[in-house]
Amino acid sequence: MIDLTVEHVEATVREDIERTCWGCGLRLLLPSNTPIFKCGWCGAITNQHAQKRIDKSLWWRRWRDRCFVSVVSLFMLCILCGGVWAVYPVVFSISYVSGVFHCLVTAVLAVSTFTTFGLAAFRCAGRPPNIQWGSYPVVGKGDLEDYTFCLYCCKPKSPRSHHCRSCGMCIEDMDHHCPFIGNCVGATNHRHFIIFLISTLISTAYVAIMCSYAGWHIWPPLMFTSLARPYTFASGSASRVVRELSRALLGSAMLLSTRGIILVYLIVSSVSVQMGLTVLLWQQLCYIYEGQTYLSHLSSGAGGGSGERDCQNLVRFFSCPYSFSRYLPFFRSSRKRHRK
Ligand SMILES: [Zn+2]
Ligand SMILES: [Zn+2]
Ligand SMILES: [Zn+2]
């Protein structure tokens, strides 16, 4: 019996292989069939089969992002300049005071939209802090808890970070990579991104309203044929009325000036942008309410996980931590969760 036990132990020991933890450099004795292990000292997770990766298509993604940012910037400038050119002569012709008022509103909306766009697009989305790693005396117990090794950056990657192949770096609290701002949405610029969406929504709503108002004043008169006589209108079927109305609208649209055509284009484009951004903003606010990011939502599964759904997450996201929440102790007790 004793001999058998000794043989068994010897066989088990022979199967163990020495592995090195990338986090602290300590050597660990592990079974040979363990490709991924967690260090008992520093807490780093090592995948022994992983190899360094080189992203050869990084330049193409950067070039694509720069094109997108240029197109979006040009589009916003066109909406602004086109709106001012098409709307303001009409507004000033009605009343000088309302013209000045609308100039001020336009300036405020343009500054807020362009500023938040610049901050979201050109500010680093969230560079992970530099952390000591690689040698045992330097790395303390639990210093690299649940850290993995980024095979692109060749650096430690915290559980809250994600490597973005378009930005070519790890991003803290990454939500998603947005091609329209040519940047990731992460810990540093997430708030600017949301304020940019809100500002754009308000601006496009304002553009649509003002263009409709100006279009109403300069639209050529409708030319009815049979519907010109009231009794014909009353006795006509609904489909005939719609047909006649469409024909009259199209007929008058043919007489539109260049200003009128620009106004129609501005209304259509601003309403289209608004519909897309409303869906995006609603989705983003839902994730913030749940205390998650888009990526953490994906990793938590289709059920959405057991997130702390709380309005405090929204308050913490938008408010300054030293202004509002310091007077309300219960705000401090809740922590935004970021699960990967
Ligand atoms: Zn270790
Ligand atoms: Zn990385
Ligand atoms: Zn990115």
Side-chain angles (χ1 to χ4, degrees):
M1 267 309 276
I2 295 168
D3 289 337
L4 280 174
T5 311
V6 170
E7 277 175 21
H8 175 72
V9 170
E10 281 176 358
T12 310
V13 169
R14 270 188 224 113
E15 283 177 5
D16 287 351
I17 297 175
E18 205 175 56
R19 305 285 182 201
T20 306
C21 167
W22 65 263
C24 59
L26 286 177
R27 288 168 186 270
L28 311 168
L29 205 60
L30 295 161
S32 56
N33 59 351
T34 312
I36 300 172
F37 61 90
K38 184 173 177 177
C39 175
W41 173 255
C42 67
I45 296 166
T46 303
N47 182 355
Q48 59 187 355
H49 294 322
Q51 292 182 337
K52 180 175 165 36
R53 292 178 190 167
I54 298 167
D55 198 352
K56 291 176 181 167
S57 56
L58 181 61
W59 67 271
W60 150 249
R61 292 199 186 92
R62 284 193 173 153
W63 184 81
R64 177 204 62 188
D65 283 350
R66 278 169 197 159
C67 286
F68 265 116
V69 170
S70 307
V71 168
V72 170
S73 307
L74 266 175
F75 179 73
M76 291 198 301
L77 267 176
C78 284
I79 294 278
L80 177 65
C81 298
V84 168
W85 178 80
V87 172
Y88 282 82
V90 180
V91 174
F92 271 100
S93 70
I94 294 163
S95 159
Y96 183 77
V97 176
S98 80
V100 172
F101 171 74
H102 287 294
C103 275
L104 285 173
V105 174
T106 305
V108 169
L109 289 175
V111 167
S112 72
T113 305
F114 278 94
T115 307
T116 48
F117 175 75
L119 286 168
F122 302 115
R123 198 172 177 193
C124 179
R127 193 181 295 278
N130 282 327
I131 190 162
Q132 299 272 16
W133 63 283
S135 59
Y136 164 66
V138 178
V139 179
K141 185 163 176 62
D143 278 0
L144 298 172
E145 190 66 31
D146 289 334
Y147 271 63
T148 49
F149 192 74
C150 180
L151 299 168
Y152 292 99
C153 304
C154 294
K155 283 199 305 191
K157 188 171 78 174
S158 76
R160 290 169 55 164
S161 297
H162 189 89
H163 182 85
C164 174
R165 291 181 64 192
S166 298
C167 296
M169 61 181 285
C170 286
I171 303 291
E172 192 89 342
D173 284 345
M174 179 176 166
D175 187 86
H176 68 285
H177 182 88
C178 177
F180 295 104
I181 60 167
N183 197 5
C184 265
V185 177
T188 316
N189 65 347
H190 201 167
R191 195 187 303 179
H192 298 131
F193 180 71
I194 297 295
I195 296 171
F196 166 65
L197 291 184
I198 294 169
S199 182
T200 310
L201 269 179
I202 296 170
S203 302
T204 46
Y206 178 72
V207 169
I209 290 167
M210 291 309 293
C211 288
S212 306
Y213 178 72
W216 178 260
H217 277 84
I218 66 162
W219 195 272
L222 299 183
M223 308 265 251
F224 292 104
T225 51
S226 57
L227 290 180
R229 296 183 294 278
Y231 65 88
T232 318
F233 187 84
S235 61
S237 64
S239 64
R240 190 176 162 219
V241 171
V242 170
R243 210 180 320 127
E244 286 291 332
L245 204 58
S246 311
R247 196 177 296 160
L249 267 171
L250 276 173
S252 60
M254 299 299 283
L255 303 172
L256 268 179
S257 61
T258 311
R259 177 165 281 118
I261 294 168
I262 299 245
L263 286 173
V264 171
Y265 168 74
L266 288 174
I267 292 167
V268 172
S269 55
S270 55
V271 169
S272 314
V273 169
Q274 240 185 338
M275 287 195 288
L277 289 189
T278 304
V279 175
L280 180 60
L281 180 64
W282 176 254
Q283 191 189 41
Q284 284 284 312
L285 291 177
C286 286
Y287 293 146
I288 296 166
Y289 173 73
E290 291 169 6
Q292 295 191 40
T293 61
Y294 174 64
L295 288 179
S296 64
H297 173 80
L298 287 184
S299 62
S300 66
S306 53
E308 282 178 33
R309 299 179 179 207
D310 205 326
C311 290
Q312 291 168 23
N313 290 330
L314 285 167
V315 173
R316 290 174 68 84
F317 183 84
F318 286 108
S319 68
C320 179
Y322 299 106
S323 61
F324 195 68
S325 56
R326 67 187 302 181
Y327 301 110
L328 298 169
F330 83 106
F331 277 130
R332 286 200 291 270
S333 64
S334 75
R335 288 193 313 155
K336 185 181 176 184
R337 296 187 321 106
H338 290 271
R339 292 182 291 117
K340 290 279 163 186

